[in-house]
Amino acid sequence: MTAHDPTLPPRPNSAPIGYAYDEYDRAFVRERVAEFRGQVERRLAGALTEDEFRPFRLMNGLYLQLHAYMLRVAIPYGTLTSRQMRQLAHIADTWDKGYGHFTTRQNLQFNWPRLVDVPDILEALADVDMHAIQTSGNCIRNVTADHFAGVAADEIEDPRPTAEFLRQWSSAHAEFSFLPRKFKIAVTGAEHDRAAVKVHDIGLRVVKNAAGDIGYEVIVGGGLGRTPFIGKLLREFLPRAELLAYLEAILRVYNRFGRRDNKYKARIKILVHETGLDELRAQVEAEFAAMDRAPFAYDSEEFARVAAFFGTAPYDELPERSEAFEKAKADDAAFAAFAAVNVAPHRASGYAIVTVSLKPIGGIPGDATAAQMRALADAADAYGFGELRVSHEQNIILPHVRKDDLHALWRDLDAVGLATANAGLISDIISCPGLDYCALATARSIPIAQAISKRFADLERQRRIGQLGVKISGCINACGHHHVGAIGILGLEKKGVESYQVTLGGDPTLDASIGELIGPGVSAEEVPDVIENLVEFYLAERCEGERFIDTVRRLGHKRFKESARREGEDGSGI
């Protein structure tokens, strides 16, 4: 089947919004599609067994889940064009069940493709410079970045050119295609971390030294799963010219010494823990000093060329205050509520960053229908130079919206169910697909997220509660990042029954922390009551302007644990 070409007439003065593939990139992706098409044909003909086919499909992002195949599409550093979003909608309608699921890795998953159709899907992705390569397997996965990159008011430098350099370096890297375990890198360029760099195998922060030179703080050994660790500082300042060579040295050390005898102890976080940070640093520095750095020599002109693809959008010269925006807030309470939590400051005067929540009350976190994807593409064209971002919180970002246009955008979003005013609030829940989809899951996640969302459906109450991150995982692999939720929920199977452990005090930011258990597991029906007890205790005890996580840290887990044990009206409670 030939893919639909979703190209729209270009918006006048459209902005550079992301790296454009060259002929090398396109030829590489097309060759992989053709190769995989042949492998699928052999599998369907019975010439390959499932065990023989498995490594081929995983190299192309295709999983075999609980009920069907799942295809994970790479969205490098979370940046999408409107044309790409329309193509994702087309794929959802043509070869799936009319929706897609945005993930905590800034990727998109199709949960119901037929194996026979996957090569056509990959061909359609290639038509818009997209693919599913290295979204699975023991390789360097999709490089993620701050979803406010390039527009954040607190930014030192746009991290996406760095992330693109890492994409080019890591794609089909011959030495690192079969690492001891999967490897994840995140990059941020701002004072506030919106990329969770401390819970990645490598986290990079753009920083300036005393001389004003740009470089990177290198954090290593973070990660969640069955053994969660906060990353440790490996280098305080790494000059940009040394970045690729230094990362090469880290990966070589990991590839050489990372454990291959036990997949549960194969991540670099275990190597850091067992070797010790000082010894690991010495090994990396020794490799870095001895290696031939010529293949990784820094080319400032090439970096500038790549950075130009992420250049400044053609913003209008606007006053910081928008009278139209202020009047709309005064006249429309629902819009004012949306603006209060879903609109963030922009570095350009008269513009704003908009978070489009994929967490409607009672909905499935991260899911978007094909119709909603098209509406988002339309909104990006109408209000934001055709650019969108995917956040690791499973939401969509419109990064270039004139304040004058915010009310019109909100009306357009509201018409397609995308105007939920809950960004960062208690119903903006991160959740993995859980036992409804995943073969590894031990409990359901989605119904728990829906139940909590419904319990706190009153958006006015949510605003009173304030910023509170709830994260849910359906197994110890922690795809829902429950370890770093201010309230984390882990679903497990216990004697044939789903049981949910609740943790408290997790944080994915630069003040990163792993949440602590507050008691034994509870049933699915009891989870909303436990969350209610914790929230009510917080509201009673917080100081003026204090976030939930701050109150937890001030009072300690013991006080909150006691509140969680309080029985509700129906006798529930830990």
Side-chain angles (χ1 to χ4, degrees):
M1 182 180 292
T2 302
H4 168 64
D5 183 357
T7 307
L8 276 184
R11 174 176 172 153
N13 299 318
S14 61
I17 57 174
Y19 181 76
Y21 279 15
D22 58 21
E23 289 310 307
Y24 175 86
D25 293 309
R26 294 192 176 100
F28 169 67
V29 171
R30 294 289 185 188
E31 287 168 7
R32 285 290 294 266
V33 173
E35 179 183 63
F36 190 58
R37 186 180 294 278
Q39 292 163 349
V40 169
E41 289 171 354
R42 291 168 64 201
R43 173 71 185 112
L44 293 172
L48 290 175
T49 66
E50 172 53 33
D51 285 344
E52 292 169 331
F53 179 58
R54 183 175 182 271
F56 297 133
R57 63 172 170 80
L58 289 177
M59 289 176 69
N60 292 278
L62 186 64
Y63 288 76
L64 185 56
Q65 295 283 68
L66 192 61
H67 306 294
Y69 284 101
M70 179 271 283
L71 182 68
R72 181 179 293 150
V73 178
I75 304 175
Y77 34 88
T79 295
L80 275 172
T81 66
S82 57
R83 181 170 182 252
Q84 289 170 329
M85 183 68 93
R86 286 192 184 86
Q87 189 75 319
L88 294 174
H90 168 70
I91 292 169
D93 271 342
T94 306
W95 293 292
D96 207 272
K97 293 190 175 183
Y99 72 97
H101 175 74
F102 291 93
T103 80
T104 56
R105 290 295 302 162
Q106 297 181 312
N107 293 317
L108 178 127
Q109 293 179 178
F110 292 113
N111 287 318
W112 301 99
R114 298 189 308 158
L115 179 57
V116 67
D117 293 329
V118 173
D120 289 335
I121 297 174
L122 296 178
E123 199 78 54
L125 290 170
D127 286 346
V128 291
D129 294 345
M130 298 185 76
H131 60 76
I133 299 167
Q134 291 183 210
T135 60
S136 181
N138 294 336
C139 58
I140 300 172
R141 299 286 187 89
N142 186 47
V143 178
T144 58
D146 181 356
H147 45 268
F148 288 177
V151 294
D154 65 332
E155 190 169 79
I156 299 168
E157 180 185 79
D158 188 339
R160 290 176 302 164
T162 295
E164 173 56 28
F165 255 59
L166 298 184
R167 183 195 71 82
Q168 294 184 24
W169 161 74
S170 63
S171 293
H173 194 302
E175 188 176 347
F176 304 146
S177 293
F178 298 95
L179 294 166
R181 200 71 172 86
K182 58 188 174 183
F183 203 93
K184 301 176 180 179
I185 302 174
V187 191
T188 184
E191 295 176 8
H192 298 91
D193 178 20
R194 288 174 289 268
V197 295
K198 287 195 171 182
V199 289
H200 283 74
D201 297 284
I202 290 177
L204 297 173
R205 292 183 62 218
V206 176
V207 292
K208 287 184 178 180
N209 65 11
D213 300 319
I214 291 287
Y216 305 93
E217 181 182 279
V218 182
I219 300 161
V220 68
L224 303 177
R226 66 176 59 220
T227 313
F229 282 102
I230 300 301
K232 295 177 172 60
L233 182 62
L234 190 66
R235 267 281 196 114
E236 188 172 345
F237 183 84
L238 179 71
R240 172 170 285 152
E242 299 177 359
L243 177 63
L244 292 186
Y246 197 74
L247 295 193
E248 183 86 7
I250 295 173
L251 267 294
R252 286 184 183 181
V253 169
Y254 170 55
N255 206 22
R256 186 182 311 142
F257 298 114
R259 293 182 61 171
R260 295 179 185 268
D261 62 320
N262 185 335
K263 71 177 183 179
Y264 302 118
K265 296 183 178 181
R267 298 289 290 272
I268 196 173
K269 63 187 179 183
I270 302 299
L271 181 63
V272 174
H273 177 68
E274 293 185 344
T275 304
L277 179 64
D278 291 341
E279 175 59 26
L280 183 85
R281 181 185 290 115
Q283 292 173 358
V284 170
E285 295 292 345
E287 177 66 34
F288 183 58
M291 66 190 291
D292 177 9
R293 301 188 201 176
F296 316 103
Y298 175 66
D299 184 336
S300 60
E301 291 184 1
E302 176 62 10
F303 189 89
R305 185 189 73 83
V306 170
F309 286 98
F310 306 92
T312 302
Y315 299 122
D316 295 327
E317 292 187 11
L318 300 172
E320 180 58 30
R321 178 181 171 87
S322 165
E323 297 301 333
F325 176 46
E326 298 301 327
K327 183 177 187 306
K329 288 191 293 181
D331 293 345
D332 191 329
F335 171 65
F338 176 86
V341 293
N342 289 55
V343 175
H346 197 288
R347 67 188 315 162
S349 177
Y351 285 81
I353 307 166
V354 175
T355 297
V356 181
S357 172
L358 298 183
K359 321 289 178 54
I361 300 301
I364 299 175
D367 278 11
T369 67
Q372 288 175 325
M373 286 190 254
R374 291 190 181 94
L376 285 165
D378 290 344
D381 281 331
Y383 305 109
F385 307 112
E387 180 178 3
L388 309 103
R389 311 279 180 80
V390 183
S391 76
H392 81 271
E393 288 105 344
Q394 299 176 285
N395 291 321
I396 301 297
I397 311 300
L398 293 170
H400 312 287
V401 183
R402 289 164 45 118
K403 289 182 179 179
D404 289 354
D405 292 335
L406 285 169
H407 192 235
L409 167 63
W410 173 78
R411 287 198 305 265
D412 291 349
L413 295 174
D414 191 43
V416 290
L418 290 173
T420 308
N422 66 343
L425 304 183
I426 193 170
S427 67
D428 185 11
I429 299 167
I430 289 177
S431 174
C432 74
L435 196 55
D436 288 300
Y437 294 95
C438 182
L440 299 177
T442 50
R444 295 169 299 162
S445 298
I446 292 170
I448 302 302
Q450 291 172 313
I452 296 170
S453 175
K454 290 175 182 177
R455 174 65 66 92
F456 293 92
D458 183 346
L459 289 174
E460 176 57 36
R461 184 187 182 199
Q462 289 192 47
R463 289 193 292 276
R464 288 199 304 272
I465 295 168
Q467 185 180 25
L468 203 172
V470 177
K471 299 175 172 46
I472 307 173
S473 299
C475 77
I476 56 176
N477 290 302
C479 293
H481 295 186
H482 68 276
H483 291 297
V484 288
I487 296 176
I489 301 166
L490 169 62
L492 298 169
E493 182 273 331
K494 189 175 182 180
K495 296 181 180 179
V497 177
E498 292 175 322
S499 177
Y500 295 86
Q501 296 180 346
V502 179
T503 57
L504 199 63
D507 187 349
T509 70
L510 293 179
D511 295 321
S513 56
I514 302 297
E516 296 181 25
L517 277 172
I518 61 170
V522 299
S523 68
E525 292 73 22
E526 291 173 309
V527 171
D529 292 317
V530 172
I531 306 306
E532 180 101 47
N533 289 344
L534 293 169
V535 169
E536 287 303 311
F537 179 74
Y538 156 66
L539 292 175
E541 298 292 333
R542 69 179 174 182
C543 297
E544 182 70 25
E546 195 172 46
R547 301 172 304 162
F548 182 90
I549 185 66
D550 299 324
T551 306
V552 172
R553 287 170 172 165
R554 177 172 58 83
L555 296 180
H557 283 73
K558 183 179 179 181
R559 294 281 308 279
F560 273 85
K561 184 176 180 177
E562 291 168 354
S563 76
R565 288 179 179 275
R566 186 179 65 231
E567 291 190 352
E569 294 180 2
D570 60 355
S572 62
I574 291 180

